[in-house]
Amino acid sequence: MENQKGPAEKFFKDFGKKFDQFLVEAKDAGTRVEADLKSKFEELKVAAEKLKSEAENKERWKEVEESLKKAREELNKALNAAFKKKSS
């Protein structure tokens, strides 16, 4: 007597195999995503520490402020030159 599988049995067997493979791939993907997130988090921590140390550097902020003032003055000159009325 031969044991023949019906269409439903075959479908569920194939479905089970595919679902098992999906679970394996999902677990691997989750592990990779977790590693990527940890890596990005560490990069952000380093960047935050660098930004914090730069923010505490008063001399550096004085340089930035002076540069911004100069840029504002130059922009003001350029705008005045561009929009001043022509003398007849």
Side-chain angles (χ1 to χ4, degrees):
M1 186 176 215
E2 252 181 68
N3 187 7
Q4 292 184 347
K5 295 181 181 178
E9 261 186 287
K10 187 174 179 182
F11 170 78
F12 283 113
K13 182 178 179 182
D14 290 342
F15 178 78
K17 286 180 183 177
K18 289 178 182 177
F19 190 73
D20 288 344
Q21 182 62 32
F22 171 76
L23 290 177
V24 169
E25 290 174 8
K27 183 178 178 183
D28 289 345
T31 302
R32 285 192 306 271
V33 167
E34 182 180 358
D36 288 346
L37 288 175
K38 284 182 181 179
S39 173
K40 293 294 180 188
F41 181 71
E42 290 302 318
E43 289 176 19
L44 287 173
K45 281 176 37 179
V46 169
E49 286 299 318
K50 182 178 177 184
L51 183 61
K52 181 180 175 184
S53 67
E54 286 180 10
E56 291 172 349
N57 184 349
K58 303 283 187 218
E59 284 299 313
R60 178 73 178 131
W61 285 110
K62 283 183 183 180
E63 289 177 34
V64 170
E65 185 178 356
E66 289 171 10
S67 295
L68 288 173
K69 283 180 184 178
K70 288 178 186 176
R72 184 190 70 209
E73 291 168 2
E74 291 299 317
L75 181 59
N76 193 24
K77 287 179 188 177
L79 289 173
N80 286 336
F83 295 109
K84 75 177 181 180
K85 293 182 182 179
K86 292 185 178 181
S87 301
S88 302

